[in-house]
Amino acid sequence: MKLQLGLPIGGHLRLGLQSEFIGAQRTRDGRLGGYLLNHLTLQADRLRPGLAVTASIRNLFDRQYAWPTGDEYALSSYPGRGREFWLQTTISF
């Protein structure tokens, strides 16, 4: 389940918070617990004509979690990604 909130914070800036809940999952060796991931985004539209920049922190609180795998893998789960920083630039013309 995902929940997303976006707030204008002045001018062409927008702040976004996304929460993503993943429930408990079965693996062939047992069960993985559920977890909540939070992501924070700052978006600046029209810095100049045709230029937008977005900066994000994914897994804001560096939550430890795991994904289940299929039977073709040696491990029944593998670790999820830690905190990540993303920067995106969009140029329109």
Side-chain angles (χ1 to χ4, degrees), residues 10-28:
H12 300 289
L13 293 176
R14 184 169 191 79
L15 185 66
L17 176 65
Q18 181 183 31
S19 293
E20 183 176 354
F21 176 74
I22 307 296
Q25 301 174 65
R26 291 183 184 190
T27 69
R28 66 176 177 269

Side-chain angles (χ1 to χ4, degrees), residues 25-61:
Q25 301 174 65
R26 291 183 184 190
T27 69
R28 66 176 177 269
D29 294 339
R31 193 168 177 88
L32 296 173
Y35 56 90
L36 178 69
L37 297 177
N38 294 287
H39 317 298
L40 185 67
T41 301
L42 179 64
Q43 183 177 10
D45 287 331
R46 297 183 300 255
L47 290 175
R48 293 188 183 265
L51 177 64
V53 175
T54 303
S56 297
I57 304 172
R58 298 194 47 80
N59 194 359
L60 181 63
F61 302 113

